[in-house]
Amino acid sequence: MSEVKFFYGGNVPLEMHKVRIVQKLDLVPIERRLEAIKEAGNNTFLLKNQDIYLDMLTDSGVNAMSDKQLAAMMESDDSYAGSASYTRLENKIKEIFGMEYFLPAHQGRACENIISQAYVKPGTIVPMNYHFTTTKAHITLNGGTVEELIIDEGLKTTSDYPFKGNMDVEKLRALIAKHGPEKIAFVRIETGTNLIGGQPHSLENMREVKKVCDEYGIMLVLDASLLADNLYFIKKREEACKDMSIREITRAIAELSDIIYFSARKLGCARGGGICTNNKDVYMKLRELVTLYEGFLTYGGMSIREIEAIAVGLEETMDENMINQGPQFIAYMCEKLKEHGIPVITPPGGLGCHLNAMEFVDHIPQSQYPAGALASALYLVSGVRGMERGTISEQRNEDGSEHFANTELLRLALPRRVFTLSQVEYAVDRIRWLYENRKLIGGLSFVEEPKVLRFFFGKLEPVSDWQTKLVEKFKADFGDSL
Ligand SMILES: *Cc1c(COP(=O)(O)O)cnc(C)c1O
């Protein structure tokens, strides 16, 4: 996706790759989609792939891999200990992040488990720009509390602020002053802040946060799962970084981090994860937990093939023409929707286009899960699977009351290099139709509600017969079309 100018106008993102392996898709009729969403308890996590046309659930483990990644996987050195594949990844991590010690783990949340077990004690606090579902679960499981210190602008759904993922440094100082630095387990920055729409933080903000951490001797932990998108945004939006290479920006971020961990299901377009640090004490402490929970230190629960794919994928992430595909497709989709007055999170971020359900279905109260209802409705009218990122994704308060999310979003992830622009256009078309008919969408209520991470397995039902009515209107408007 380089900056290629179209002579006759039109701002179309242009792919800097070609597709040579394809997977067949089906679009099942709306009658089947109605059955399928019922079977899934109106939870898009529980839909089966055979019933899905465009899977925009997540960008996790479903990004397109390159020919070079697949080739590397064929050459992997499958051994329990001392694998050459592991050494290749370790060296790549050293080269890119400048970190001496690397610990492999099977995915991002495994890193969170290990780091939380090591550093989060009952009564401690973990300040962060914003939480991620699995991060918060691990911290609270270990008796800690999450404090979100995102800048006020970060929670505004529409904005032109370039770095909505920034941490409010004054709030961080106030929090440390209030509780004392010894209560702080570590400070966490999530790059490409997932739950507020894949919004980036700036390099400058990270420098300021690190300065405060250093003043009080607190560790700064970077969740680098969505680093690729954030690197692109820093390069594009941060004046002081416009002449830096992607590699230089990566190094600058790494130098400010005491620990970096990542989900390689996103970063590096493979599957797996890892933790790196320059601090030997940290390494020694975490190492024991890796062998206990993940596996021996030269595979850490990952397939050796994936280890090879991550090493190549990380190198490819240093190419601006690779990491800009996602953000540019997302910007294209968001602009198209905005043209028709459809409420989307702005500025467009990484990982996906986010519909603002609080506005899209403003007649549905938060207690009836507007984002979940919108996810169910969109699947019904399009076969597009999105993900609820709102109140259903939160945990109830300790007293059992509902913890209403700050924002109710339907995330439509665009896995990197996976969809074509005509597929994006199809999604836009169906979302437009749904917006015109939004008053037909009704709320949901739980029929089965697990205690932990309820958004994965919970089942819900519509509060009325709104789905049948929506299907009737669809058929009246679309006739025989799927
Ligand atoms: C996906 C993600 C995780 C968890 O990673 P998994 O590989 O899914 O376990 C953690 N943090 C962020 C920011 C993520 O996007």
Side-chain angles (χ1 to χ4, degrees):
M1 251 4 87
S2 55
E3 304 290 323
V4 178
K5 184 174 167 183
F6 276 61
F7 191 74
Y8 296 102
N11 200 10
V12 179
L14 189 63
E15 293 88 343
M16 284 297 139
H17 58 259
K18 61 181 175 181
V19 180
R20 294 193 298 137
I21 295 181
V22 296
Q23 181 179 355
K24 189 181 177 313
L25 290 175
D26 285 317
L27 178 53
V28 298
I30 191 160
E31 292 82 6
R32 173 60 206 146
R33 300 201 293 263
L34 181 59
E35 277 169 23
I37 197 70
K38 270 189 196 152
E39 287 161 16
N42 288 282
N43 180 346
T44 55
F45 275 101
L46 301 180
L47 284 167
K48 296 209 165 59
N49 242 352
Q50 65 204 27
D51 294 319
I52 293 164
Y53 176 48
L54 300 180
D55 191 359
M56 298 188 173
L57 183 77
T58 178
D59 61 331
S60 174
V62 288
N63 300 294
M65 295 174 89
S66 69
D67 49 355
K68 294 199 167 57
Q69 283 182 294
L70 293 175
M73 289 170 94
M74 290 295 116
E75 275 195 276
S76 49
D77 173 23
D78 225 336
S79 49
Y80 189 92
S83 156
S85 298
Y86 171 79
T87 307
R88 272 194 280 278
L89 177 57
E90 189 185 32
N91 288 339
K92 189 48 76 182
I93 296 269
K94 275 187 197 171
E95 178 200 319
I96 287 179
F97 294 118
M99 292 278 192
E100 196 54 39
Y101 304 105
F102 173 62
L103 290 164
H106 78 278
Q107 61 184 95
R109 71 200 67 186
C111 306
E112 291 170 340
N113 171 40
I114 287 160
I115 295 168
S116 300
Q117 285 212 26
Y119 295 107
V120 178
K121 303 289 168 238
T124 57
I125 300 167
V126 184
M128 54 184 69
N129 49 349
Y130 207 72
H131 81 282
F132 183 70
T133 49
T134 56
T135 325
K136 189 172 179 175
H138 280 294
I139 289 168
T140 37
L141 216 59
N142 283 286
T145 323
V146 164
E147 284 284 351
E148 290 170 325
L149 307 178
I150 191 89
I151 53 165
D152 294 343
E153 200 69 27
L155 297 181
K156 289 189 190 146
T157 44
T158 52
S159 160
D160 51 15
Y161 194 75
F163 293 108
K164 281 165 64 176
N166 280 355
M167 184 182 280
D168 188 322
V169 181
E170 289 316 309
K171 283 187 198 159
L172 177 62
R173 281 191 186 282
L175 186 88
I176 299 172
K178 184 171 166 205
H179 298 279
E182 60 292 339
K183 277 264 179 192
I184 311 291
F186 53 82
V187 172
R188 171 178 174 275
I189 287 195
E190 182 179 308
T191 205
T193 326
N194 192 324
L195 296 192
I196 59 165
Q199 297 291 330
H201 62 78
S202 67
L203 181 58
E204 190 195 348
N205 181 250
M206 202 174 160
R207 283 206 184 102
E208 288 168 5
V209 171
K210 175 65 173 167
K211 203 168 138 232
V212 177
C213 290
D214 282 350
E215 271 174 46
Y216 293 100
I218 300 170
M219 278 199 306
L220 181 56
V221 175
L222 182 79
D223 179 343
S225 305
L226 302 178
L227 180 66
D229 305 328
N230 208 123
L231 286 169
Y232 169 73
F233 288 125
I234 287 179
K235 170 95 183 163
K236 279 287 152 207
R237 298 180 184 173
E238 193 163 351
E239 184 59 26
C241 303
K242 72 175 197 305
D243 295 325
M244 290 169 79
S245 66
I246 297 297
R247 223 176 266 280
E248 285 164 348
I249 300 170
T250 307
R251 264 306 175 97
I253 288 176
E255 277 163 14
L256 298 169
S257 313
D258 295 291
I259 298 177
I260 297 179
Y261 76 89
F262 59 91
S263 166
R265 299 178 63 82
K266 293 132 187 184
L267 184 64
C269 297
R271 287 147 209 89
I275 306 172
C276 54
T277 181
N278 265 325
N279 183 322
K280 185 154 192 205
D281 295 338
V282 169
Y283 170 75
M284 295 305 280
K285 189 162 178 165
L286 300 184
R287 194 169 82 164
E288 290 171 20
L289 296 167
V290 170
T291 35
L292 198 56
Y293 290 103
E294 299 300 303
F296 190 65
L297 292 179
T298 55
Y299 71 92
M302 281 186 277
S303 136
I304 289 290
R305 283 164 191 73
E306 296 295 345
I307 289 178
E308 289 284 1
I310 297 170
V312 175
L314 285 176
E315 176 56 35
E316 290 177 350
T317 301
M318 297 294 108
D319 176 0
E320 191 181 340
N321 275 337
M322 184 271 196
I323 59 176
N324 64 12
Q325 186 276 333
Q328 289 187 1
F329 259 53
I330 290 158
Y332 180 87
M333 184 169 175
C334 289
E335 290 307 324
K336 288 267 159 176
L337 292 169
K338 249 171 60 183
E339 276 170 25
H340 301 290
I342 296 163
V344 291
I345 297 295
T346 55
L351 88 105
C353 167
H354 295 70
L355 303 180
N356 179 3
M358 214 93 94
E359 273 185 47
F360 198 114
V361 280
D362 58 4
H363 55 285
I364 301 179
Q366 237 182 328
S367 57
Q368 291 181 11
Y369 313 118
L374 186 56
S376 167
L378 180 62
Y379 168 73
L380 202 51
V381 305
S382 67
V384 171
R385 163 157 82 166
M387 187 195 289
E388 193 267 4
R389 290 276 87 151
T391 296
I392 298 176
S393 298
E394 296 284 339
Q395 264 172 225
R396 282 186 186 267
N397 297 316
E398 261 167 39
D399 66 4
S401 61
E402 196 67 82
H403 180 81
F404 292 122
N406 293 324
T407 51
E408 294 285 341
L409 306 180
L410 173 57
R411 179 177 91 183
L412 300 170
L414 293 189
R416 298 164 185 91
R417 298 179 295 190
V418 168
F419 294 130
T420 62
L421 219 50
S422 45
Q423 289 170 329
V424 170
E425 294 284 1
Y426 167 81
V428 168
D429 181 82
R430 290 298 189 267
I431 295 166
R432 271 182 75 183
W433 181 86
L434 192 60
Y435 190 62
E436 297 273 305
N437 293 282
R438 62 191 178 276
K439 295 295 179 215
L440 291 175
I441 307 171
L444 299 173
S445 66
F446 267 104
V447 283
E448 263 180 63
E449 187 180 344
K451 274 221 159 65
V452 180
L453 300 176
R454 64 180 181 174
F455 61 92
F456 280 137
F457 301 116
K459 291 198 162 183
L460 302 99
E461 63 183 9
V463 295
S464 66
D465 65 346
W466 63 264
Q467 292 181 327
T468 323
K469 296 220 167 78
L470 191 62
V471 171
E472 278 167 14
K473 180 68 170 37
F474 181 94
K475 287 180 150 179
D477 285 0
F478 284 90
D480 288 341
S481 169
L482 298 171

